[in-house]
Amino acid sequence: MSEQKVLFDVQHLQTYFPILGGVVRKTVGYVHAVEDVSFQIREKETFSLVGESGCGKSTTGRTILRLIEPTKGKIIFDGQDLCQLDKESMRKMRRNMQLVFQDPYSSLNPRMTVRKLLEEPLDTHFKLTPAEKEEQIKWITEAVGINPEHLERYPHQFSGGQRQRISIARALITKPKFVVADEPVSALDVSIQAQILNLLMDLQKNMELSYLFISHDLNVVRHISNRVGVMYLGRIVEMGNTEDVYQNPMHPYTQALLSAIPKRDPLEEKKRIRLEGDVPSPANPPKGCAFHDRCVHCMGICSEQVPEARELEPGHFVACHLFDK
Amino acid sequence: MDHLLEIRNLSIDLPRGKKLPPIKLVEGIDLDINKKQNFGVVGESGCGKSITCNAIMGLLSYPLKVGKGSSIRFQNSNGKEQEIVGMAPQELCKIRGNEISMIFQEPMTALDPMYTIEQQINEALSFHTNLTKAEMHDASLEMLKKVKIPRAEEILRDYPHHLSGGMLQRVMIAIALINNPRLLIADEPTTALDVTIQAQILDLMNELRESYDTSVIMITHDLGVIAETCEHVAVFYAGQVVEEASVVDIFHHTAHPYTEGLLRSVTSLGNAKKELYTIKGMVPSAGNFSTGCRFADRCDRCMDKCKTECPPLVEIETGHKCRCWLHIDGAVEEA
Amino acid sequence: MRRFGQTIKDLWRDPMARVCIVGIFLIILTAVLAPVIAPYQPDHMIAAPKSAPAKDYLFGTDNYGRDVFSRVIYGARVSLWVGLIAVGIGAGAGYVVGMIAGYFEGWTDTVIMRIMDILFAFPSILLAILISTVLGRGLGATMVAIGIVNIPVFARTVRASVIAAKGLEYVKNAQSVGVKTVYVLIRHISPNVIAPFTVQSTLALSGAILTEAAMSFLGLGIQPPDPSWGSMLSEARAFMEQAPWMVIFPTIFIVITILLFNVLGDSLRDVLDPKLKL
């Protein structure tokens, strides 16, 4: 796996949102949505960002597509720094990278038929003859499992799962190399969730896609990803191969997070690490390690210094002072 | 009556004018809830689990109506049986919040942004007790401490938007339990919360159960939540109960193919990158239910009989009911 | 209602609202003290017709040589009175009707809203004329007539907000706690109605002032030579080019009054929303 070429290289990404206040709407502070995030995504791999709401995982996903401008940091896609690109080259670049949204109800324009929805990205990025377009549409509908007879229907005539298939088709019709899937199954029922996850995995295999998969559902993440990064308050606190992280979590937050997954069997005995309190506000993050005020292992240094990520096992990074030498 | 709540033949109608018969959103629901029982109701969206519970509260929103021949009988704290279907609104108000209370899914929207936490707790108290203002304050304070809210005195003066989702859900629980109800209906109480907060709330609910004599109906789509909190479970599918059993039987002696499918699509999760088990097709929408078994066209083990005749809910073992021809003697041979 | 004093205090803290309260107070004061403030009687001819504004008659004179300034001040009495009472009747009745229709839905709603639709279907002037022919001429009848005309608009606005508010989870929560219907309506649903309601009220206020003008033009409202802002406007229409001041000054007063009520309504809505409190 590790021999695969690096497709996305994100270095020290930082995204702040200004907080406007007062009568003249001047900036009174910043929401530190993404504080300092570095990761790589290799070809044909699924990298997941997992974390609780407000940890910055969605913002990260949108920033690396430059849908949100980063405050600092480098985003290197296929050897090119995306932040250096002007508007037009970025627009052209977009067909290589697509986004699948969480909510299949609001992310499709209700006034467009499925055919129009699918034609739109083609018209934006390519100049195709009607026959070529038809061919592309035929190919994608087959790939994602939309009945071609339903092409003239409107989004509201479909169920949630079908609509998510349409959004996926719309994202993949330009044949991108890379897809950000932002909570693509969170709004769906369990039995439909499984269908969409299988579809995403099939498409990955057939189209040689790389995914950045963003989710708060730890079971789903475990299932779909090769590598995973656990985010807390704008930073990746632990990152590694999925099974390494799930079976041997080292960061106290990861340990607590994994122990909070509800048990799957009423007879299972489960020890839970209790986390007190709530996630602090990203507008006013604590000094030092972001997790220190909820951590059971908190030491003096934790409230003063931000821990560096260290490679404790091959490919398994942890940012925690417990592992300082 | 041995049970706290007895639901018999409950149906909920969506009227379609005078000419068309109403659409039955749920049909033929029979449920018994015992005292001090934790009863789980699990199903996917649109299966009718939430409106069934709204019917128990007499809170069906217009134009939904409880169908003819339905009965919901509730034993109140004086040991008197009451029929909730068709009860006068004034009577319902006496039961709601006092004998039966409810926790909602979205703590962020379930509290009125216009009023402080204290005012909202007082509201629950003022309609069911004759406490003075000072007594209400003390009771609220004590209740907030029971649900483990730090800085309770300060929080009482806060407005809902000052608090996080987890805190608000604790406040909701406090409001629901303050009159010591006999039945608590929790409608997806942790769905909107993060995993670690969900764990806190589930732990809290499990602890509170020890100190209150309250029965809980836990409505959820998450089998994990069921495994954590419930003793007895009813599985809803397309407006019917398809299986009902103790939680261990549901997980370990699963009878209905739908329940099995649900469990398998969840438990196969995590087996890194293998194909997930899926139930084919999608949930039928109300009004398009087949006359046979409603799960027939998605079922792997569908027989001819399943397509034409709806199976009854029968007890296949003591305390284990299932609505499937596979478990009805003679039906398989016949086919 | 609860926290009434607090609301007023909060309102006073908002500088815009303070300006509006003072402004509205001044206009009301002007109307009440009209005989003291106005330099002339409103129906006395004091100079040549259509004289341009000058030191002795600040706003000029009208086509009969009457002082426009004095007439504007006297006119405030009628216009404010008509505006407030008519809107009061329309808003009050519309509020109650809309609440009932929205909350209970079903046949109650159908019956109420069909009646409202019938009222709505008439052109408002025509309906007002119809009502005042029943009630008789004069200011009182005019006010009631304009009020009734306004009911359907308010009822619709309120009903729509009530139906939207009923879907809110906290309203359901309040019901589940055992709060009685009347209290649910007052405590939890009303605040959601206030925003569209205040906006509608300020709009209706200007509408009422103008409707009164149209009615007096038709000989149903206030009778000449008594002035109202609306009747002054409709009289002035013919002399727009020769004596623009006849149009300009009443218009300025109407605009200022409506603006004051409008901004006050805005601030009131903000004050009632605790999310905007720091």
Side-chain angles (χ1 to χ4, degrees), chain B residues 51-95:
Chain B
I51 54 168
T52 301
C53 291
N54 284 343
I56 299 174
M57 292 292 274
L59 273 180
L60 284 178
S61 44
Y62 178 84
L64 300 184
K65 268 193 226 142
V66 172
K68 269 188 196 144
S70 309
S71 154
I72 302 172
R73 299 182 73 76
F74 176 72
Q75 192 183 48
N76 71 11
S77 44
N78 307 324
K80 216 177 94 194
E81 274 178 47
Q82 287 175 303
E83 174 63 58
I84 291 178
V85 176
M87 188 183 262
Q90 302 91 307
E91 290 296 306
L92 270 174
C93 280
K94 281 184 203 155
I95 291 184

Side-chain angles (χ1 to χ4, degrees), chain A residues 201-220:
Chain A
M201 289 190 293
D202 280 350
L203 290 168
Q204 178 168 43
K205 224 181 289 160
N206 301 337
M207 295 177 66
E208 307 199 323
L209 289 167
S210 304
Y211 286 135
L212 172 64
F213 193 89
I214 297 167
S215 179
H216 68 274
D217 189 323
L218 294 152
N219 289 329
V220 167

Side-chain angles (χ1 to χ4, degrees), chain A residues 46 52-53 159 189-191 194-195 197-198 201 204 223-224 262-267 272 274-275 277-278, chain B residues 44-45 164 194 196 198 200 203 207 224 228 251-252 268-270 273-276 278-279 281-282 298:
Chain A
T46 304
E52 299 181 277
S53 47
S159 67
D189 274 320
V190 191
S191 67
Q195 292 173 1
L197 288 176
N198 280 342
M201 289 190 293
Q204 178 168 43
H223 191 89
I224 199 165
K263 52 190 178 188
R264 288 173 180 188
D265 185 328
L267 299 177
R272 192 166 276 164
R274 285 212 184 179
L275 276 188
D278 288 314
Chain B
E44 297 181 278
S45 50
S164 68
D194 280 318
T196 56
Q198 163 169 297
Q200 289 175 5
D203 284 349
E207 276 167 44
E228 295 257 349
F251 280 80
H252 290 279
S268 64
L269 259 183
K273 296 229 118 187
K274 291 225 183 72
E275 175 118 38
L276 275 168
T278 57
I279 306 174
M282 44 197 160
R298 301 180 72 190

Side-chain angles (χ1 to χ4, degrees), chain C residues 121-134:
Chain C
F122 284 96
S124 53
I125 295 278
L126 193 67
L127 183 62
I129 292 167
L130 210 71
I131 295 168
S132 48
T133 43
V134 176

Side-chain angles (χ1 to χ4, degrees), chain B residues 113-222:
Chain B
M114 295 286 295
Y115 302 94
T116 61
I117 302 299
E118 176 160 22
Q119 284 165 335
Q120 309 206 34
I121 302 181
N122 286 355
E123 195 172 60
L125 283 170
S126 62
F127 282 92
H128 303 295
T129 61
N130 298 318
L131 299 181
T132 63
K133 226 171 175 192
E135 286 167 338
M136 285 203 271
H137 179 83
D138 293 343
S140 318
L141 206 57
E142 198 187 326
M143 197 62 224
L144 285 194
K145 283 178 185 153
K146 271 190 201 157
V147 296
K148 301 200 175 137
I149 287 183
R151 304 179 291 116
E153 189 79 47
E154 273 171 62
I155 299 270
L156 276 179
R157 287 193 296 273
D158 276 341
Y159 285 92
H161 66 275
H162 292 133
L163 306 182
S164 68
M167 277 299 151
L168 287 176
Q169 201 57 297
R170 284 167 197 265
V171 172
M172 288 289 305
I173 295 174
I175 294 175
L177 288 180
I178 196 153
N179 290 316
N180 201 355
R182 307 206 354 124
L183 178 63
L184 174 67
I185 299 172
D187 189 355
E188 307 256 11
T190 59
T191 308
L193 304 175
D194 280 318
V195 234
T196 56
I197 309 296
Q198 163 169 297
Q200 289 175 5
I201 297 292
L202 292 182
D203 284 349
L204 174 71
M205 289 182 75
N206 280 338
E207 276 167 44
L208 286 173
R209 204 191 319 162
E210 306 296 314
S211 47
Y212 283 84
D213 288 338
T214 307
S215 299
V216 179
I217 299 182
M218 174 71 82
I219 307 171
T220 180
H221 68 276
D222 188 340

